[in-house]
Amino acid sequence: MNDSTVKSNSGFIATLDKLATPIENIANFLAGLAIFILMFMGAAQVILRTVFNSPIAGYIDLVQLAMASMAFLGAAYCQRLNAHIRMELFVGSLNGRALWAFEIFSTLVALFIIAVLILYGWDHFVRSYDSGDTTIDAEYIVWPSKLLVPVAFALWFFRLIIQLIGSINMFINPDREPVGIAKIQHVSEVANDEIKETFGTDVPDEGGLKS
Amino acid sequence: MSEAGSLLGIGFNDPFTVGLIGLAFMFVLVLSGVRVVFAASITGLLGLVELLGWGPAAGIIGTIPHSKSSTYALSVLPMFIFIGFLAFHAGITQQLFNAARKWLAWLPGGLAVATVMATAGFGAVSGASTATAAVFSRVAIPEMLKNGYDRKLAAGVVAAGGTLASLIPPSAILVIYAIIVEESVGALLLAGFLPGFVSALIYAGIIVLWALYRPKEAPAMEPSTWPERFKSLPGVSPIILVVAIIMSSIYYGWATPTEAGALGATVVFILALFKGTRTKTIVQALMESAKLTAMIFSLIWGVLIFVRFLGFSGLPEAFTSWITNLDAPPIVIMICILLAYAILGMFMDAIGMLLLTLPVVYPAVMALGYDSIWFGIIVVKMAEVCLITPPIGLNCFVVNGVRPDIPLGDVFRGVGLFFIADVVTIALLLMFPEIVTWLPELMRG
């Protein structure tokens, strides 16, 4: 294996990764934005109803439809950052080809079930679109919310494909620089992620952070 | 593979066997490192294919992610998650710790007791155990070490104190339990308050006893004057406001849990803005909240696909009749179940463990005559104990991550004391279930 093949190979994965990353970030940001809006809407709803006795019409229906954006849009982002939970005790103790073989297997499992959910989630959307069904109370149309499942899962599928190619790449030559894969984390690395998430970008106090 | 029975040749002739094989299959997948959402949903799909054939099976599961996620009750989760990510930036931790110290530091082991009470207070705005441990590793450990506390105790109290957050509302994990077993979210949130408080008192009690036994490891401090004590109170008023919003709205029903969560989050958000939190940090908190929300919702629909299959297989009913026919008193069976959770929890993430086991365990526990809200609190308490037990007690790693100068071994040794306290708490909850059921029953009238 000479250097140029290594580079061109990981270069291909890196290109896919660069393509997917901003889209995943935007999708996840939209989910975050939905959370932000839900917060203000909930607070406004309480105040309008209890103080002014004039609640937002169709509030509950709207929240239900909006749930899909929060539930699904971040799924691929979550996959890239290795945040979907798994039991790493056994796989984490493996090295080299054995590790990558397990990664390829688990990614294939994931690809299969997500593919099924994209196809049949699409059907679910098409039925809703054709029948024009609406929520019971406020009669909002339902299909845009159902469309989020196949769309968000397609992003998820694409991310899994990148990770599959990345794992195969590593299986062929475990000495390569890992590209486009979610590294198995030791619990201490998980802990460090949690710490960073808690404190955010604010400057650390004395005591500081490791890493 | 379009007909029923095309995978194993069993089909609907013996759904129970298909259920057992499915359970074993999923277990193997989870052990092989397949993410829980995929392991659960693919087992659900393949199991349903075996029982019903491809068309009906795929048709059923294709609707589950959307239909199970778009429910109003679940909308409380992103609210609680967002509060958790903002809580640190609202700048209330230092004031909380100061107030607790002014009031409690005179006790033997007073600073550690103050830490416990401050973590419990922080738990009232944050449902995240690890975040609480991270925050107090910075706020409380330096103070304790400066005052001559043993570093094992200082680290242990923070790691263990973090676990209080998951019982004291707002708690995401209690909401997840409520959704999975179809209980009232409000009742569970209310039910967690008292056991969370009792846990904190037992932590405090065991610290005082330890400090009396070994005063050098946890020296008492000069008591603060009364004016000093009262001056510390305004700093904690935001916490009291958030607690009042969440508890009273659920108790008196003037807002749904989602609305209460939204109002609480708005208060914390405004506080964070006042403390000069930058837009970048807010956006980051939203990104993290969205990520965690996606993770939890994936788990929920993944497990619900599996649960649909389990329902067809009749496995939960079979397990229930097996448990109820056992020649042992219910309390013995309950203790066995809790021990099983304690062992499982040493190796699994708390939410994953609850979601994977509850569909089978919960109906059996109900058949034994236990209260569903009570069991929720017990099982969440068990899951939290797992955050401080080796080898993967995440809270201990978090403390070690913030304070690399305290070796991990010392953190784990330090939480030993609180592990004992947790066993005492669980025993108390077993003996006096009223600690859990009193508040929700009062609400229901």
Side-chain angles (χ1 to χ4, degrees):
Chain A
M1 202 68 59
N2 61 45
D3 271 5
S4 67
T5 49
V6 174
K7 266 185 192 153
S8 68
N9 222 337
S10 32
F12 173 62
I13 304 168
T15 310
L16 291 181
D17 184 58
K18 266 191 206 133
L19 194 69
T21 301
I23 306 173
E24 288 161 355
N25 289 353
I26 291 168
N28 191 66
F29 177 73
L30 290 177
L33 201 61
I35 294 175
F36 202 54
I37 294 170
L38 180 71
M39 173 181 90
F40 283 119
M41 227 172 76
Q45 170 74 345
V46 179
I47 293 165
L48 286 174
R49 191 184 55 223
T50 52
V51 182
F52 300 102
N53 204 14
S54 64
I56 304 167
Y59 164 74
I60 289 185
D61 287 11
L62 207 59
V63 172
Q64 283 183 347
L65 292 179
M67 287 316 293
S69 49
M70 294 167 233
F72 306 122
L73 283 176
Y77 178 87
C78 197
Q79 180 73 33
R80 184 179 89 222
L81 296 181
N82 204 10
H84 288 291
I85 61 164
R86 67 195 299 194
M87 195 168 161
E88 291 172 334
L89 218 57
F90 170 65
V91 188
S93 66
L94 297 175
N95 280 313
R97 286 220 164 83
L99 168 67
W100 300 114
F102 269 93
E103 286 295 65
I104 291 168
F105 167 72
S106 59
T107 313
L108 285 173
V109 169
L111 280 167
F112 177 70
I113 186 72
I114 293 303
V116 172
L117 288 170
I118 291 172
L119 286 175
Y120 287 83
W122 175 260
D123 280 0
H124 194 46
F125 149 72
V126 169
R127 276 195 301 274
S128 173
Y129 183 81
D130 287 343
S131 68
D133 66 347
T134 59
T135 58
I136 301 166
D137 228 21
E139 304 198 336
Y140 295 124
I141 41 164
V142 175
W143 65 259
S145 169
K146 287 185 175 169
L147 181 60
L148 283 175
V149 175
V151 169
F153 284 19
L155 279 181
W156 199 355
F157 189 85
F158 190 62
R159 173 52 59 185
L160 286 164
I161 290 280
I162 295 171
Q163 295 186 342
L164 179 71
I165 303 173
S167 299
I168 293 173
N169 189 35
M170 292 305 291
F171 182 78
I172 295 169
N173 185 356
D175 298 327
R176 279 176 179 152
E177 181 74 20
V179 185
I181 45 155
K183 258 190 13 218
I184 293 199
Q185 289 179 302
H186 184 257
V187 55
S188 60
E189 296 169 282
V190 179
N192 273 323
D193 283 352
E194 297 273 339
I195 295 164
K196 279 185 206 141
E197 286 169 13
T198 305
F199 297 125
T201 44
D202 283 7
V203 189
D205 316 333
E206 51 179 325
L209 295 182
K210 203 164 76 171
S211 87
Chain B
M1 46 184 206
S2 57
E3 300 284 304
S6 53
L7 295 176
L8 301 166
I10 303 174
F12 226 111
N13 299 325
D14 188 0
F16 175 70
T17 305
V18 178
L20 272 186
I21 294 172
L23 207 58
F25 178 71
M26 184 181 71
F27 190 65
V28 170
L29 287 184
V30 171
L31 273 182
S32 331
V34 175
R35 292 173 198 280
V36 173
V37 44
F38 303 132
S41 52
I42 202 163
T43 307
L45 170 68
L46 296 181
L48 284 169
V49 168
E50 175 66 15
L51 293 177
L52 309 171
W54 178 265
I60 290 173
I61 74 149
T63 66
I64 288 179
H66 187 270
S67 65
K68 293 297 179 187
S69 302
S70 49
T71 55
Y72 183 73
L74 277 173
S75 61
V76 66
L77 276 175
M79 294 300 97
F80 284 3
I81 290 168
F82 187 49
I83 294 186
F85 279 117
L86 276 185
F88 166 71
H89 300 284
I92 37 188
T93 40
Q94 193 65 51
Q95 282 105 314
L96 252 178
F97 184 64
N98 280 342
R101 186 172 53 180
K102 295 265 157 57
W103 287 82
L104 299 166
W106 57 275
L107 284 165
L111 270 184
V113 174
T115 304
V116 165
M117 291 306 159
T119 53
F122 189 68
V125 285
S126 163
S129 298
T130 45
T132 310
V135 167
F136 282 92
S137 295
R138 270 203 197 164
V139 175
I141 290 180
E143 285 294 314
M144 283 190 275
L145 295 185
K146 212 179 348 178
N147 287 285
Y149 273 58
D150 177 57
R151 70 178 182 190
K152 290 194 290 292
L153 179 69
V157 67
V158 169
T163 68
L164 296 170
S166 65
L167 283 179
I168 297 169
S171 154
I173 194 162
L174 279 175
V175 175
I176 294 169
Y177 174 89
I179 301 290
I180 289 290
V181 309
E182 300 181 334
E183 248 303 340
S184 146
V185 171
L188 265 146
L189 290 174
L190 214 51
F193 187 78
L194 212 49
F197 191 62
V198 168
S199 287
L201 283 184
I202 291 174
Y203 280 177
I206 215 156
I207 292 168
V208 171
L209 289 179
W210 185 256
L212 288 173
Y213 170 62
R214 291 197 167 162
K216 276 191 183 147
E217 287 188 10
M221 293 169 67
E222 284 295 304
S224 305
T225 62
W226 285 98
E228 275 176 346
R229 292 183 191 192
F230 282 104
K231 244 189 262 169
S232 71
L233 286 184
V236 298
S237 53
I239 298 262
I240 295 168
L241 181 62
V242 174
V243 173
I245 288 172
I246 292 178
M247 295 295 285
S248 80
S249 65
I250 296 168
Y251 188 87
Y252 295 106
W254 55 265
T256 63
T258 305
E259 290 162 0
L263 208 53
T266 310
V267 171
V268 176
F269 172 70
I270 292 169
L271 271 176
L273 285 186
F274 263 102
K275 291 285 162 186
T277 307
R278 290 167 299 175
T279 317
K280 195 178 162 198
T281 306
I282 305 273
V283 171
Q284 198 184 14
L286 281 172
M287 290 294 272
E288 299 293 353
S289 305
K291 187 182 81 178
L292 191 56
T293 305
M295 186 275 264
I296 290 176
F297 274 79
S298 304
L299 270 180
I300 290 174
W301 61 251
V303 166
L304 287 175
I305 289 177
F306 176 65
V307 166
R308 187 64 66 89
F309 157 58
L310 273 189
F312 275 103
S313 77
L315 197 69
E317 291 87 341
F319 183 71
T320 300
S321 73
W322 177 71
I323 287 271
T324 46
N325 286 324
L326 283 178
D327 192 18
I331 183 73
V332 174
I333 299 173
M334 178 55 73
I335 289 170
C336 289
I337 291 175
L338 294 182
L339 285 176
Y341 271 119
I343 295 167
L344 201 58
M346 289 171 70
F347 306 102
M348 261 197 94
D349 171 90
I351 295 173
M353 174 176 91
L354 286 192
L355 282 168
L356 286 181
T357 55
L358 281 176
V360 178
V361 173
Y362 176 78
V365 170
M366 291 307 101
L368 288 173
Y370 286 101
D371 180 78
S372 68
I373 291 175
W374 175 84
F375 184 61
I377 301 299
I378 284 275
V379 98
V380 166
K381 180 74 194 168
M382 287 306 299
E384 288 307 303
V385 174
C386 303
L387 282 173
I388 56 168
T389 51
I392 58 163
L394 188 54
N395 271 12
C396 297
F397 282 90
V398 166
V399 172
N400 173 248
V402 180
R403 299 289 310 209
D405 54 314
I406 303 178
L408 190 63
D410 278 1
V411 186
F412 274 117
R413 271 189 286 279
V415 294
L417 198 60
F418 301 96
F419 180 77
I420 298 169
D422 280 337
V423 173
V424 173
T425 306
I426 289 166
L428 272 178
L429 297 179
L430 278 169
M431 286 187 289
F432 307 103
E434 298 79 11
I435 300 172
V436 176
T437 54
W438 178 68
L439 258 180
E441 270 168 18
L442 206 63
M443 171 186 76
R444 286 171 170 168

